[in-house]
């Protein structure tokens, strides 16, 4: 379904995820990615949510960053997306996390759905990305700052 999402977002050539990579990210020795799958009455997968923890230094608590939410076209309007988001909201409440956040492509008609459940767009922040040659170039300067490997 991740490749279906890439197709929907008009960027199938950018999606290189393999089943082995997803399996390792979700079920490897130190998973940092979590996921939920929505199924229909016949147990057919119709949607998914992939997420990871973020942290608010101001609030001092974790939150959930929803990396991807996708519901197959024939299952849209069935409540599958709402149930996936409700599951993540319940995890936040249960664990004391104060927010559930995600990005959305500006043309996505799901904006109406998100507004209907009370989500608000954050227009005061500008997303940045460091990738490719610029990422590699910056990494060459890492020796100047001592770091500790993650546990």
């Amino acid at each position: 379904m991740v490749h279906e999402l890439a197709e929907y977002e008009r960027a199938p050539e950018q999606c290189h995820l393999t089943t082995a990579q997803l399996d390792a990210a979700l079920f490897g020795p130190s998973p940092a990615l979590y996921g939920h799958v929505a199924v229909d009455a016949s147990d057919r997968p119709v949607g998914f949510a992939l997420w990871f923890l973020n942290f608010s230094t101001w609030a001092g608590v974790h939150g959930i960053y929803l990396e991807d939410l996708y519901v197959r076209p024939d299952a849209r309007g069935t409540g599958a997306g709402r149930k996936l988001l409700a599951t993540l909201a319940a995890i936040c409440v249960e664990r004391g996390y104060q927010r559930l956040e995600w990005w959305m492509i500006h043309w996505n008609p799901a904006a109406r759905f998100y507004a209907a459940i009370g989500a608000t767009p954050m227009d005061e922040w500008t997303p940045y990305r460091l990738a490719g040659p610029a990422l590699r170039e910056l990494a060459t300067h890492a020796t100047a700052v001592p770091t500790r490997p993650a546990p």
Side-chain angles (χ1 to χ4, degrees):
M1 280 190 285
V2 171
H3 289 275
E4 291 175 33
L5 171 61
E7 183 77 32
Y8 175 76
E9 291 186 353
R10 305 172 188 161
E13 71 287 350
Q14 294 178 32
C15 186
H16 305 288
L17 180 72
T18 67
T19 302
Q21 288 173 313
L22 186 58
D23 185 64
L26 288 167
F27 307 112
S30 299
L33 179 70
Y34 306 93
H36 297 271
V37 176
V39 296
D40 64 14
S42 60
D43 214 31
R44 179 182 71 99
V46 296
F48 71 89
L50 291 175
W51 59 276
F52 52 87
L53 294 179
N54 59 17
F55 185 80
S56 169
T57 53
W58 289 15
V61 297
H62 284 291
I64 287 179
Y65 180 79
L66 175 60
E67 177 65 21
D68 287 315
L69 174 69
Y70 178 72
V71 175
R72 288 183 162 148
D74 64 338
R76 293 182 189 149
T78 65
R82 179 181 291 269
K83 287 178 185 173
L84 286 165
L85 284 173
T87 298
L88 299 185
I91 291 169
C92 287
V93 170
E94 174 186 305
R95 297 181 185 177
Y97 302 162
Q98 293 187 5
R99 54 189 176 198
L100 168 59
E101 298 176 321
W102 63 91
W103 289 7
M104 182 195 75
I105 289 179
H106 64 88
W107 52 260
N108 191 331
R112 290 186 303 277
F113 164 63
Y114 295 145
I117 62 170
T120 56
M122 296 184 350
D123 59 4
E124 67 273 12
W125 296 93
T126 302
Y128 283 85
R129 177 174 292 156
L130 191 58
L135 177 67
R136 289 188 290 281
E137 167 58 26
L138 184 59
T140 66
H141 301 283
T143 56
V145 178
T147 60
R148 261 185 33 203

